[in-house]
Amino acid sequence: MKVFIMFLALMIVFSASLVYRNDMELYMRMQDSLKRLAEDCAAGGSLATDRDLYASGRLCIDREDAERISSVLIEKAMEKTMFSRGTISQTVRIFDDVKGYDGIEGYGLSAGRPAVAVSLTYSGPDIFRLSFLNKQTVTRTAVYQWEY
């Protein structure tokens, strides 16, 4: 009987560690995918310049186009199975000659060069299946700054 009880205890511990390892791998892949998506959104958004202001010698990023590019990329990412059960929200901050450079130091960047900062937040059901671990949101931020 003692052997049977030890076998059950070890089976429960090893099963819990296997579930934890699989959930942690999913969490790490989700963070990596969200980071790459944020980088793509920031890079694509920084290329959406205002043509009229650019013709006059000022570099200004068009907010509507930048958010539209991010929305298209997010819609494509939602087709992945890891993101299909939740939602991804975006926050786009633009620093340029027209909108100003207030708060750019918080991202570790220097003022005077346009930049786009994109924060993506995935919200969905609990990622971990173990009852004592709760993680329902994943947030990643990426910044793309013009170098010239």
Side-chain angles (χ1 to χ4, degrees), residues 3-4 21 30 38 50 61 64-65 73 88 97 127 136:
V3 174
F4 179 69
R21 183 171 179 233
M30 191 177 288
D50 189 347
I61 297 169
E64 293 175 1
D65 285 344
L73 291 173
I88 298 176
D97 295 337
I127 297 169
Q136 296 171 336

Side-chain angles (χ1 to χ4, degrees), residues 57-61 94-105 108-116 144-148:
R58 297 174 74 186
L59 191 54
C60 177
I61 297 169
I94 296 175
F95 307 101
D96 60 14
D97 295 337
V98 175
K99 295 168 192 69
Y101 296 99
D102 294 333
I104 198 169
E105 295 85 16
L109 303 174
S110 59
R113 287 179 283 198
V116 175
Y144 189 88
Q145 185 174 30
W146 279 76
E147 295 289 333
Y148 50 89

